[in-house]
Amino acid sequence: MAKNDKKTVSIKQESPEPTSSVSVTPVPETKKSFPKSAPTFRVVTGSYEHNLLCVSVTLYPEAPVFTPVFHFTPHTQSIRCLAESKRYLTSGSNDEHIRIYDLQKRKELGTLLHHDGNITKLEFFDKWLLSASDDGKICIWRTKDWEVLGELQGHKAGGINDISIHPSGRIAISAGNDHTLRLWNLMTARKASVLKLRKDVALRCRWSQDGTSFVLGFDRKVVVYSGATSEPIGRVLKLKSPLQHMEMLTLKGVEYVVTSHSDGSIVFYPLDQITEEIKSEDSEEELSTATLPDSAFKVVGHAVRVKHFSFYHYEPTDVIYMSSVSSDGNLVIWDLNTRDQIAVYNTGDRLNCCVMVSEDVEHYEEMKKRARADDMSEAEETDFSEAESDVEIKEELTTNQKKKNKKKLRKAKKAAMNKKPKLTVEFS
């Protein structure tokens, strides 16, 4: 791994307009005002223009409000994928780098360098991060110190399109351009089995919510396989438009296979409709998104291909929101309880991926106080200017604590002379 690189990002802060001294007629009491609280969350997007953008979304009844949090360029090529877990955010790019950020303090922690190809997929599970690349390797990273604990090798060079971790965290599947789907034992970091797909190439793979089956998304079809036998079950779902992204979602007790397409649509198809057994020879063996049953639905909010989408459960109102991004530069927010588009934000970039996080992920009390923009030098005008490790975050001390520790260290020097030096972990 490479040492932490400092990044300089220009952050523009708009100063409030001066208050006029002219007397103003009091506003009538009947006028509507924004409520004190409204659903609020954040959306982070990555683009072809190498930019990482985070906006805070507040869904007021009168009008949604988008507030930029940060916007900078951490990579030298397009950002292919994002992943978040609690305080951590990671971004993968065609420059073969994986960048790590601490969302609590709005800090960039460093860069992971281990792959020799474009980073195609990042996925967290518990205290681990899995990364896939065009070099045909999957790396298992430990988030405590960001060390590589294992390499999963088996896919031929040409790229890994997607990976998915089983709900138990013990196994994972990966889909590659070598026409295979591979099952991995994450406990031993070894290959468990291989499923040959003949001429087909799986673009997306996902485990079902209960882990009993997995779903493969191809360019023009979706097929469900048994987790026990790796055999297709149910019927094939034919896609009207080429597949761009796929996820699994449980909405109001129904598990859906959610797919986005090149025509700007996002389709929600019940998993049980696909896996339903064919009862007679007269029954159709194939399903299609061209004609949806009453149990399925489709939303359209983009003019061109929907590259990615993400979900967020807002617990106070028990509403699931979805954000979708496209090459048209629009970030669209959806209310999946009503199946309506509720907000649109134009970023000006060709968006490639997105993740949704809680608004309270950032701990303002732990962030360093910054000077006003007018008093900053060019090198200081950034929210990601300082790189620090996980260890440094935990060891931040006050001035008095540092003085006390210095005295203790002086007294302990003589006793420590005969001991082995302590091993420190750094980004390398």
Side-chain angles (χ1 to χ4, degrees), residues 176-206:
N177 282 324
D178 56 358
H179 306 277
T180 64
L181 180 88
R182 296 179 182 267
L183 179 68
W184 307 94
N185 186 334
L186 298 181
M187 308 304 293
T188 60
R190 292 183 179 180
K191 178 179 63 178
S193 63
V194 180
L195 174 63
K196 295 183 179 180
L197 303 174
R198 299 181 182 179
K199 295 182 180 181
D200 293 327
V201 174
L203 303 179
R204 295 289 181 267
C205 58
R206 287 290 180 273

Side-chain angles (χ1 to χ4, degrees), residues 141-342:
W141 306 84
R142 183 173 56 195
T143 60
K144 180 181 179 180
D145 50 14
W146 300 107
E147 288 292 331
V148 179
L149 295 185
E151 282 188 8
L152 306 180
Q153 300 185 28
H155 285 285
K156 296 180 181 179
I160 298 174
N161 295 323
D162 201 8
I163 55 178
S164 180
I165 302 174
H166 190 270
S168 66
R170 295 175 177 271
I171 57 177
I173 53 176
S174 61
N177 282 324
D178 56 358
H179 306 277
T180 64
L181 180 88
R182 296 179 182 267
L183 179 68
W184 307 94
N185 186 334
L186 298 181
M187 308 304 293
T188 60
R190 292 183 179 180
K191 178 179 63 178
S193 63
V194 180
L195 174 63
K196 295 183 179 180
L197 303 174
R198 299 181 182 179
K199 295 182 180 181
D200 293 327
V201 174
L203 303 179
R204 295 289 181 267
C205 58
R206 287 290 180 273
W207 286 100
S208 61
Q209 301 283 335
D210 58 8
T212 59
S213 61
F214 57 88
V215 185
L216 298 187
F218 302 88
D219 181 49
R220 290 280 186 170
K221 65 180 179 180
V222 170
V223 183
V224 182
Y225 290 78
S226 169
T229 63
S230 296
E231 293 290 334
I233 55 178
R235 292 175 284 183
V236 176
L237 175 63
K238 289 290 184 179
L239 306 179
K240 181 182 178 181
S241 181
L243 178 70
Q244 293 294 325
H245 187 60
M246 183 180 74
E247 294 287 352
M248 306 297 293
L249 173 69
T250 299
L251 184 63
K252 296 181 179 179
V254 179
E255 185 173 5
Y256 290 92
V257 179
V258 189
T259 56
S260 66
H261 304 275
S262 298
D263 61 0
S265 65
I266 303 175
V267 178
F268 294 72
Y269 212 101
L271 178 63
D272 58 5
Q273 292 285 320
I274 304 175
T275 57
E276 186 178 8
E277 295 183 4
I278 302 174
K279 299 180 180 179
S280 64
E281 296 181 357
D282 298 332
S283 301
E284 296 182 3
E285 295 186 2
E286 294 182 352
L287 304 171
S288 175
T289 58
T291 55
L292 298 176
D294 294 337
S295 56
F297 65 96
K298 177 174 68 173
V299 295
V300 181
H302 299 275
V304 293
R305 56 183 182 173
V306 182
K307 292 291 294 181
H308 200 266
F309 53 86
S310 179
F311 304 112
Y312 177 72
H313 180 213
Y314 187 70
E315 294 182 357
T317 56
D318 195 25
V319 176
I320 296 180
Y321 295 99
M322 178 179 71
S323 63
S324 60
V325 295
S326 170
S327 303
D328 59 10
N330 287 339
L331 165 64
V332 180
I333 307 299
W334 306 83
D335 183 337
L336 294 184
N337 285 28
T338 61
R339 304 178 184 180
D340 288 334
Q341 174 183 314
I342 55 177

Side-chain angles (χ1 to χ4, degrees), residues 1 13 17 23 37 64 91 101 104 158-159 165-166 171 236 269 281 291-292 321-322 367 407 419 425 428:
M1 292 182 287
Q13 297 182 353
E17 297 181 358
S23 60
S37 62
S91 61
Y101 319 94
Q104 281 188 358
I165 302 174
H166 190 270
I171 57 177
V236 176
Y269 212 101
E281 296 181 357
T291 55
L292 298 176
Y321 295 99
M322 178 179 71
M367 296 177 64
K407 293 180 180 179
K419 294 182 179 180
V425 180
S428 59

Side-chain angles (χ1 to χ4, degrees), residues 21 49 56 61 106 145 161 194 206 235 249 293 315 357 360-361 383 410 424:
S21 60
E49 287 76 16
S56 175
R106 209 186 298 177
D145 50 14
N161 295 323
V194 180
R206 287 290 180 273
R235 292 175 284 183
L249 173 69
E315 294 182 357
V357 297
D360 58 7
V361 68
D383 278 334
R410 289 172 186 171
T424 59

Side-chain angles (χ1 to χ4, degrees), residues 372-391:
R372 294 181 58 182
D374 298 338
D375 301 331
M376 286 193 203
S377 65
E378 184 179 350
E380 293 173 337
E381 277 189 29
T382 173
D383 278 334
F384 284 99
S385 59
E386 298 180 19
E388 61 181 15
S389 68
D390 189 32
V391 177

